[in-house]
Amino acid sequence: MKRHDTAEVFLGKLGVGGSHPVSVEAMGRTHPSRYRDTLDEIRLAQEAGCEIFRLAIPDEESLEGLKKITAESPLPLVADIHFAPQLALSAAGSGVGAVRVNPGTMGERAQYRELVLRLADYGCVLRLGANAASLPKAFQKMKPSQALVCCIAEWLEEPLKLSFHNIILSAKSSSIEVNEEASRNLSHSFPYPIHIGLTEAGEGTDGIIQSTLGIGMLLREGIGNTIRVSLTSSSPVLETQVGVGILNALGLRRRGFQIISCPTCARKKGDVVLLVCELKKRLGKLKQTVPLTVAVMGCEVNGPGEAREADVGLAFGRERAVIFSRGVVVETVPHREGMEALLESIITFTPPAGKQLQHNS
Amino acid sequence: MKRHDTAEVFLGKLGVGGSHPVSVEAMGRTHPSRYRDTLDEIRLAQEAGCEIFRLAIPDEESLEGLKKITAESPLPLVADIHFAPQLALSAAGSGVGAVRVNPGTMGERAQYRELVLRLADYGCVLRLGANAASLPKAFQKMKPSQALVCCIAEWLEEPLKLSFHNIILSAKSSSIEVNEEASRNLSHSFPYPIHIGLTEAGEGTDGIIQSTLGIGMLLREGIGNTIRVSLTSSSPVLETQVGVGILNALGLRRRGFQIISCPTCARKKGDVVLLVCELKKRLGKLKQTVPLTVAVMGCEVNGPGEAREADVGLAFGRERAVIFSRGVVVETVPHREGMEALLESIITFTPPAGKQLQHNS
């Protein structure tokens, strides 16, 4: 899957665009004035795989918290500001990696010019992000996917006049089609890295499905340098997990374990659901590891086949469970010993030469 | 999104392929000898949107249950049989809509010929499905996506000799890439409807993401006439919900409500998470409805924009919540009355002319 060429920018030490891998962004839920809660959110998100953390800065009160957060945050921050250009100016000097500007809520161009100059002073990235639901009035009559790109083009004039190129772009919508077309147009029109995501994707399973399609199909085209999954949820952890899951599934990053397991049916010879849930819990505690594929299969139809293909696998038979490692039967054990035998094989698994060790953070 | 042309077959009264919409299949977890439990599973899956129900028939004991199940099942059934051709012969005469045959586990060609003749007698569909993890030995050295198609081609010889065309094909793998390529090759090589799905996608969020990508990207190409999501889970309901969600998200079917809601952040003026969860519960009880888009937004950034675009929407403001219907402000209410006002607007919503009424079953 060839990535679109883009310029490269840095959020703190994190490279975005160019040859850097696609990174996962999440957004905080707590008010930054409760800075300890926000820092907890950041650490939990980081543990789940988040690499960029966005924070809404809705008022003056947030700025005090923001300084404390930037001082301690293990992740680069993006300050998200609407309706109050003065807040954006202050945030630019507070140690964040980027300030997100929405053309629909930014106000006067003069203030925008001042902001770009300030961002240049502090080596901050301008995250210029338009949204179909908050386009400036002048663009509201156009076809949305086109309006988003034209709006971005207009708001790029000022930075370009100032020879400012430290920019990441986004153009989002809650419609998969509009979102896709707008991001594709952005990517074909400008040389800057693109942040992608579907806005307001909703809650639960439906939200995960919408986001996976909206983001996944663009990534498959090679478009997108950072991603954010917008799920209605009280914590940024789930959206991080989904973001990491999308990159894993597309082979753009490989972190942690990939578990292949059967849906179970009337043929199952052992309790696959229970074993997989328990296995996930136990694997979550293994901090450092290779990106391993583990198969757990309930019967003899596809069981041995999948288990053979996996790095490590278990297939239930009528009497015993068979443990495989890279195509070789390691042992057969009674069902009740399957879990421990599988874990033992995972822990002692030696990756073949060339398979790189990776931190499972 | 143009669909690939395919022949049309019928599972009971349900048309598959041709100009019929893509339908959702799910698979039972209980042993068919516990036929009342199986019928409960079928009814729950149907309520979630399932249209075809697949049952593993692992032994003689299952056949007795199968007869009782076919007599009462509200959905057409597919009997899934491996290693025991004799069971397939018996199942063909039991009132099922289709018998699923896996070339890797079917056994002798003579028995297969007998089965095809039996299927013809009973007007049953042959669901010929190969799986990368259980390919016949002769194909195991080939590239898997090619092996799957060659294997299907070989197993089509017998039915074609007998002028039997009542066929649905599938070629699955637990690898998104292999799965996609194999299904695409099938679709380009044969005129029959294609059943798609990613096998052994795993559990939880990762399983949903893998399946959504594996199935969604094929559907986007116009490939796939029935879909099944294979999630490690103790019930067929979740896999049905995910299948329905994929079709909804791609606009291939529209059932029930589409909820657009923001992820919430430090700007939120009301409890979006709570409202959406409660709303979903209440909407679940509304049985008959139009496919409606409902927006729930936490603040003034994208709130009014999304709420205006939706059929019905609520956007929280600092003091009050605004209820919109198709771009028109219906009323503003105190936050605590938002839920009831939104529901009222949903119930009284009159679809514009041309928007078709649909059962939300």
Side-chain angles (χ1 to χ4, degrees):
Chain A
M1 192 176 341
K2 202 188 158 314
R3 315 291 316 151
H4 261 250
D5 268 344
T6 76
E8 156 191 271
V9 303
F10 283 86
L11 289 172
K13 288 178 193 157
L14 184 81
V16 172
S19 60
H20 300 284
V22 180
S23 49
V24 175
E25 178 178 317
M27 192 158 173
R29 266 60 169 173
T30 53
H31 195 282
S33 60
R34 289 161 48 202
Y35 68 95
R36 288 197 189 285
D37 292 344
T38 304
L39 280 164
D40 283 346
E41 271 192 335
I42 295 174
R43 290 187 194 109
L44 284 172
Q46 183 191 29
E47 217 165 280
C50 177
E51 293 159 305
I52 302 171
F53 202 83
R54 182 147 51 118
L55 279 173
I57 306 296
D59 46 34
E60 284 287 338
E61 215 190 334
S62 315
L63 287 174
E64 280 310 298
L66 182 59
K67 278 181 209 151
K68 290 174 183 150
I69 296 163
T70 52
E72 289 188 44
S73 173
L75 296 179
L77 300 175
V78 179
D80 198 88
I81 293 151
H82 302 266
F83 307 119
Q86 194 54 46
L87 289 178
L89 280 172
S90 306
S94 70
V96 298
V99 172
R100 187 266 169 117
V101 167
N102 177 341
T105 64
M106 182 60 200
E108 299 303 313
R109 294 287 280 269
Q111 293 173 306
Y112 178 47
R113 186 186 157 83
E114 201 184 336
L115 175 63
V116 174
L117 289 168
R118 180 76 63 98
L119 292 172
D121 282 348
Y122 286 96
C124 255
V125 168
L126 169 67
R127 241 281 269 123
L128 188 58
N131 191 307
S134 53
L135 276 167
K137 267 234 164 93
F139 298 97
Q140 288 179 7
K141 297 271 178 216
M142 288 173 70
K143 187 183 166 200
S145 60
Q146 203 52 47
L148 285 161
V149 178
C150 292
C151 169
I152 290 287
E154 195 182 290
W155 283 71
L156 277 173
E157 284 170 16
E158 205 63 49
L160 299 195
K161 268 192 241 161
L162 299 166
S163 298
F164 181 93
H165 296 285
N166 209 8
I167 295 171
I168 299 175
L169 302 176
S170 74
K172 296 190 188 179
S173 162
S174 59
S175 147
I176 290 183
E177 295 74 31
V178 173
N179 199 68
E180 197 174 325
E181 215 174 300
S183 296
R184 192 183 294 128
N185 288 347
L186 271 194
S187 158
H188 295 165
S189 305
F190 309 110
Y192 305 112
I194 311 277
H195 168 78
I196 60 171
L198 192 75
T199 52
E200 283 83 60
E203 189 264 350
T205 304
D206 286 337
I208 296 174
I209 293 169
Q210 300 261 1
S211 283
T212 301
L213 287 170
I215 294 171
M217 293 189 297
L218 282 164
L219 288 174
R220 275 279 296 225
E221 288 185 32
I223 295 168
N225 307 96
T226 72
I227 68 173
R228 187 211 167 191
V229 173
S230 301
L231 295 178
T232 300
S233 147
S234 50
S235 137
V237 170
L238 179 63
E239 65 183 56
T240 300
Q241 289 168 334
V242 175
V244 169
I246 294 171
L247 297 184
N248 268 347
L250 290 171
L252 286 167
R253 304 285 289 270
R254 278 297 300 281
R255 283 182 282 200
F257 296 94
Q258 188 193 358
I259 299 181
I260 290 168
S261 57
C262 77
T264 85
C265 69
R267 283 189 302 268
K268 63 179 178 287
K269 304 288 187 295
D271 195 333
V272 175
V273 177
L274 196 71
L275 196 146
V276 169
C277 292
E278 179 65 22
L279 181 67
K280 280 198 166 178
K281 263 190 251 164
R282 306 270 299 258
L283 291 180
K285 291 175 192 155
L286 292 178
K287 273 292 167 201
Q288 188 182 349
T289 178
V290 286
L292 226 62
T293 304
V294 180
V296 179
M297 304 290 295
C299 83
E300 62 279 34
V301 173
N302 297 318
E306 291 290 355
R308 260 197 304 272
E309 287 296 311
D311 292 319
V312 182
L314 176 150
F316 282 112
R318 194 173 295 273
E319 305 293 335
R320 297 171 75 82
V322 187
I323 308 290
F324 292 84
S325 181
R326 287 249 158 170
V328 179
V329 174
V330 176
E331 58 182 328
T332 71
V333 297
H335 285 189
R336 68 177 182 286
E337 293 170 20
M339 177 73 205
E340 297 306 323
L342 183 62
L343 258 181
E344 183 62 27
S345 285
I346 291 169
I347 291 164
T348 58
F349 179 76
T350 314
K355 193 157 185 179
Q356 212 190 326
L357 272 159
Q358 204 170 319
H359 285 271
N360 178 32
S361 66
Chain B
M1 195 175 342
K2 201 187 158 315
R3 313 292 315 151
H4 262 249
D5 268 345
T6 76
E8 157 191 89
V9 303
F10 283 87
L11 289 173
K13 287 177 192 157
L14 183 81
V16 171
S19 59
H20 300 285
V22 180
S23 48
V24 175
E25 177 177 317
M27 192 159 174
R29 265 59 169 173
T30 53
H31 195 282
S33 60
R34 289 161 48 203
Y35 69 96
R36 288 198 189 287
D37 292 342
T38 303
L39 280 164
D40 284 347
E41 272 193 335
I42 294 175
R43 290 186 193 110
L44 285 172
Q46 184 192 29
E47 218 165 278
C50 176
E51 295 160 303
I52 301 170
F53 202 83
R54 181 146 52 116
L55 280 173
I57 305 296
D59 45 34
E60 284 287 336
E61 216 190 332
S62 315
L63 287 173
E64 279 310 297
L66 182 61
K67 278 182 208 150
K68 290 173 182 151
I69 296 164
T70 52
E72 288 188 43
S73 173
L75 296 179
L77 300 175
V78 179
D80 197 88
I81 293 150
H82 301 265
F83 306 119
Q86 192 55 45
L87 289 178
L89 280 172
S90 305
S94 69
V96 298
V99 171
R100 187 268 170 116
V101 167
N102 177 342
T105 63
M106 183 59 200
E108 298 303 312
R109 295 290 281 271
Q111 293 172 309
Y112 178 48
R113 185 186 158 85
E114 201 185 337
L115 174 63
V116 174
L117 289 168
R118 180 76 63 97
L119 292 171
D121 283 349
Y122 285 97
C124 256
V125 168
L126 169 66
R127 240 281 270 120
L128 188 57
N131 191 307
S134 53
L135 277 167
K137 268 235 164 95
F139 298 97
Q140 288 179 6
K141 298 271 177 215
M142 287 174 71
K143 187 182 166 200
S145 60
Q146 203 52 47
L148 285 161
V149 178
C150 292
C151 169
I152 290 287
E154 193 182 292
W155 283 71
L156 277 172
E157 284 170 17
E158 204 65 50
L160 299 195
K161 267 191 242 160
L162 298 166
S163 297
F164 181 92
H165 296 285
N166 208 9
I167 295 170
I168 300 176
L169 301 177
S170 74
K172 296 191 188 177
S173 162
S174 59
S175 146
I176 290 183
E177 296 74 32
V178 173
N179 200 66
E180 197 175 326
E181 214 174 301
S183 296
R184 192 183 293 128
N185 288 347
L186 271 193
S187 158
H188 294 166
S189 306
F190 309 109
Y192 305 113
I194 310 277
H195 168 77
I196 60 171
L198 191 75
T199 52
E200 282 85 58
E203 190 264 349
T205 304
D206 285 337
I208 296 173
I209 293 169
Q210 300 261 3
S211 282
T212 301
L213 288 171
I215 293 170
M217 293 189 298
L218 282 165
L219 288 173
R220 276 279 297 229
E221 288 185 34
I223 295 168
N225 306 96
T226 72
I227 67 172
R228 187 211 166 189
V229 173
S230 300
L231 296 177
T232 301
S233 148
S234 50
S235 136
V237 169
L238 179 63
E239 66 181 56
T240 300
Q241 288 167 336
V242 174
V244 169
I246 294 171
L247 297 184
N248 269 345
L250 290 172
L252 286 167
R253 304 286 288 271
R254 278 297 301 279
R255 282 181 283 198
F257 297 93
Q258 188 192 0
I259 299 181
I260 289 169
S261 58
C262 77
T264 86
C265 69
R267 285 189 302 269
K268 62 179 178 289
K269 305 289 188 291
D271 195 332
V272 174
V273 177
L274 198 71
L275 197 145
V276 169
C277 291
E278 180 64 23
L279 182 67
K280 280 199 165 178
K281 262 190 251 163
R282 306 269 299 259
L283 291 179
K285 290 174 191 154
L286 293 177
K287 273 295 169 201
Q288 189 181 349
T289 179
V290 287
L292 226 61
T293 304
V294 180
V296 180
M297 303 289 294
C299 83
E300 61 280 34
V301 173
N302 297 318
E306 291 290 355
R308 260 197 305 272
E309 288 295 311
D311 293 318
V312 182
L314 175 150
F316 283 112
R318 195 173 294 272
E319 304 292 335
R320 297 171 75 84
V322 187
I323 309 289
F324 292 84
S325 181
R326 288 247 157 173
V328 180
V329 173
V330 176
E331 59 182 326
T332 70
V333 297
H335 285 188
R336 67 177 184 285
E337 293 171 20
M339 177 75 208
E340 296 306 324
L342 183 62
L343 258 182
E344 184 62 28
S345 285
I346 291 169
I347 291 163
T348 58
F349 179 78
T350 315
K355 194 158 183 178
Q356 212 190 326
L357 272 159
Q358 205 168 319
H359 286 271
N360 178 30
S361 66

